[in-house]
Amino acid sequence: MRQFLGLMLMAVVLVSGCKSSQNAGDGTRRVGNRKVSYIIQEVKKREEHAPRTLSFKASTEVKTAEKNTSFKTSVRMVRDSVIWMSITAYSYEVARIIATPDSLKYVSRTEKKYYVGDYSFINQKLGVKFGFEDLQSLLLARSFGLDKPETVTKRNTRKNYVLSTLKQQQIERIQRGKEVEIEDGVEVLYTNWINPENFQVEKVSLLDVNTQNNASIQYLTFENISGFDILSAFNMHIIAKGDVEIHSELSRFHVNETLKFPFKISSKYAQIK
């Protein structure tokens, strides 16, 4: 049950509306010969237009080899500051989470246990390294790993610019299970599939260099809320400690409102170490 709650935590964190939703892949595309620096510049420019605060409800399904599970989540966040989540199943709150750039707090109502510490809790459970910035990027349907344009390589498909922190030959060798020589300190390799028409990221993959565990996220649909394009559905596939498929439908969005983040740990709960 503890391992499943770890997976459930990850699913919730990845949850990232007017009622006109847009498919990420709509329209006829023209993929031009843009430079990497220009593409990243346009992606970052788009990502800067985001709400200061965001809250929503999420309905999530998690499929593993052992079972299928569904649950609901309330999510509240302040950009670059805090992400708060309350997870319910069968109308009962089973867990509450509050994440900041430096720490993670987690309460399991079902196990009567709690965790206070860094993000090693998520990393250990899933085998995929994730921090606050990664979680926030998912909530806001942002790019991953594009902070150093000089290390990014590009290839084109028929529908997307594909930006990666590795060369294509290196990626192909890794996919075949062969050794690849990479820079010291590189732990996670990122690949972003980008719409050439509006520079929205449509898909992201993350590969842990050391363990070969990986995750892929596909941003499916968006809704325009108060002038912001907000993610309204996504799929995620994790291959690490087992094979996990996640699908979330997001709704009841509120942007730039005052939010509260209630979080209390009962003195009767045992600490997870």
Side-chain angles (χ1 to χ4, degrees):
M1 181 63 176
R2 184 184 301 175
Q3 182 176 4
F4 174 70
L5 283 175
L7 293 172
M8 191 164 69
L9 165 63
M10 185 62 179
V12 173
V13 170
L14 296 178
V15 209
S16 123
C18 63
K19 290 287 183 182
S20 62
S21 63
Q22 302 175 345
N23 291 328
D26 282 350
T28 302
R29 304 223 179 138
R30 181 178 179 181
V31 182
N33 188 26
R34 300 288 192 178
K35 292 183 178 180
V36 168
S37 58
Y38 177 82
I39 297 171
I40 294 178
Q41 173 185 302
E42 293 302 308
V43 168
K44 295 297 184 181
K45 185 187 301 182
R46 179 185 179 89
E47 292 175 348
E48 286 175 4
H49 184 64
R52 186 183 64 83
T53 71
L54 174 65
S55 65
F56 59 87
K57 306 291 185 181
S59 179
T60 302
E61 294 180 73
V62 179
K63 296 181 180 180
T64 68
E66 293 78 24
K67 63 168 68 175
N68 296 347
T69 306
S70 61
F71 55 90
K72 296 184 183 301
T73 310
S74 294
V75 180
R76 304 172 189 174
M77 69 174 290
V78 177
R79 193 175 71 242
D80 302 325
S81 178
V82 60
I83 300 169
W84 177 97
M85 291 156 283
S86 173
I87 309 164
T88 60
Y90 305 106
S91 301
Y92 175 77
E93 184 182 57
V94 297
R96 187 168 292 195
I97 302 156
I98 188 164
T100 69
D102 300 319
S103 67
L104 177 70
K105 296 179 182 180
Y106 170 75
V107 171
S108 170
R109 307 292 188 202
T110 54
E111 293 184 315
K112 299 189 183 306
K113 294 183 178 181
Y114 72 93
Y115 172 85
V116 176
D118 59 24
Y119 287 84
S120 60
F121 179 73
I122 292 180
N123 299 337
Q124 181 184 5
K125 294 298 180 184
L126 297 175
V128 178
K129 290 181 172 61
F130 252 80
F132 180 86
E133 290 186 7
D134 299 317
L135 304 179
Q136 179 174 254
S137 291
L138 259 168
L139 291 170
L140 299 176
R142 288 180 170 177
S143 58
F144 284 69
L146 300 184
D147 294 329
K148 297 180 179 179
E150 65 276 9
T151 67
V152 175
T153 61
K154 176 180 75 80
R155 63 184 174 87
N156 293 349
T157 67
R158 288 195 307 161
K159 292 188 175 182
N160 295 100
Y161 297 124
V162 182
L163 301 188
S164 175
T165 53
L166 267 190
K167 295 179 181 179
Q168 183 60 26
Q169 298 92 324
Q170 293 174 307
I171 296 173
E172 291 172 356
R173 285 184 63 83
I174 289 176
Q175 290 172 339
R176 294 198 298 268
K178 297 189 176 183
E179 291 187 4
V180 174
E181 204 174 303
I182 58 175
E183 292 182 37
D184 291 338
V186 175
E187 295 183 335
V188 180
L189 304 178
Y190 302 101
T191 303
N192 298 263
W193 283 257
I194 298 166
N195 186 323
E197 308 251 321
N198 60 10
F199 297 96
Q200 171 64 55
V201 177
E202 296 181 342
K203 179 182 176 183
V204 178
S205 70
L206 304 85
L207 173 67
D208 188 298
V209 175
N210 298 315
T211 65
Q212 298 294 297
N213 295 333
N214 66 84
S216 63
I217 308 107
Q218 188 169 10
Y219 304 135
L220 298 176
T221 59
F222 295 82
E223 292 188 12
N224 188 277
I225 312 294
S226 301
F228 298 102
D229 288 332
I230 305 295
L231 181 67
S232 58
F234 73 88
N235 286 336
M236 183 171 187
H237 186 199
I238 302 171
I239 301 176
K241 295 183 178 182
D243 198 324
V244 183
E245 295 279 355
I246 299 167
H247 176 75
S248 274
E249 299 282 345
L250 317 178
S251 61
R252 297 173 63 183
F253 287 86
H254 298 277
V255 302
N256 292 338
E257 295 184 355
T258 301
L259 301 175
K260 295 182 179 180
F261 308 97
F263 192 90
K264 185 177 180 180
I265 300 174
S266 170
S267 60
K268 297 179 181 180
Y269 286 11
Q271 185 172 6
I272 299 171
K273 297 183 179 179

